[in-house]
Amino acid sequence: MQRLIPYRRDLKVRAQELRKNMTLAELALWDKIRRKSLGVEFHRQVPLLDYIVDFYCHEIGLAIEIDGSIHDNQVMQDGIRQGRLEEKGVHFLRFKNEEVFEEIDAVLTAIEDKIQESL
C-alpha cells in the first residue's frame, strides 16, 4: 500500500542536491539496495513533510537513515522529526556510518527483515 505523504515543495531542489552529493556511507548502502535488489524499490533523498530522509520505500512506508557524526549533536531534532513521520505511518531503520562500512551484511539483514515484516 503506497502512502502519499505531503512535503514542502521547496525541499525538492535540496533533495536533488543531496542526491548529487551523497556521503560515502549512503553511496555504499545505495549500491546494495537500488534497482529493487531487495524486492522493493527504494528512492534516495526523499522529501516527506518538512524533512528529507536518506532512503524511502513508498510501497511499505520504510525510511532508512544513515547517521554520520553530525547526528551526534542533533539527537533531539532527529527524534522529533522521526516522531512526526511515524505519526504519518512511516517506519524507520537507523544505522551509523560505521555499521554500513564495517557490518554491511548485518545492515542488509536488518533491512530485509523489516521488508518481510512490512509486506
Side-chain angles (χ1 to χ4, degrees), residues 68-78 96:
S69 58
I70 191 170
H71 291 270
D72 295 344
N73 298 321
Q74 61 184 46
V75 173
M76 181 75 87
Q77 296 96 316
D78 284 349
K96 294 198 173 295

Side-chain angles (χ1 to χ4, degrees), residues 6-100:
Y7 65 91
R8 284 188 1 229
R9 295 285 176 210
D10 63 305
L11 291 178
K12 203 169 185 178
V13 171
R14 177 72 180 131
Q16 290 169 333
E17 291 171 10
L18 289 171
R19 279 184 216 113
K20 291 177 188 172
N21 298 294
M22 291 173 68
T23 68
L24 292 176
E26 290 169 347
L27 284 168
L29 184 59
W30 178 240
D31 187 54
K32 302 290 185 186
I33 66 172
R34 65 191 301 192
R35 297 192 181 112
K36 288 192 174 187
S37 60
L38 300 180
V40 294
E41 185 174 17
F42 282 96
H43 298 271
R44 304 177 288 156
Q45 307 299 338
V46 178
L48 300 172
L49 298 180
D50 298 322
Y51 315 105
I52 299 173
V53 297
D54 294 334
F55 303 103
Y56 187 66
C57 175
H58 297 273
E59 183 180 342
I60 59 174
L62 176 61
I64 300 173
E65 287 287 285
I66 307 301
D67 294 339
S69 58
I70 191 170
H71 291 270
D72 295 344
N73 298 321
Q74 61 184 46
V75 173
M76 181 75 87
Q77 296 96 316
D78 284 349
I80 292 168
R81 167 184 181 229
Q82 182 170 330
R84 285 196 61 214
L85 289 168
E86 285 174 340
E87 288 173 359
K88 296 290 186 182
V90 176
H91 302 282
F92 273 81
L93 285 176
R94 288 188 168 280
F95 302 101
K96 294 198 173 295
N97 282 352
E98 296 78 26
E99 291 176 282
V100 173

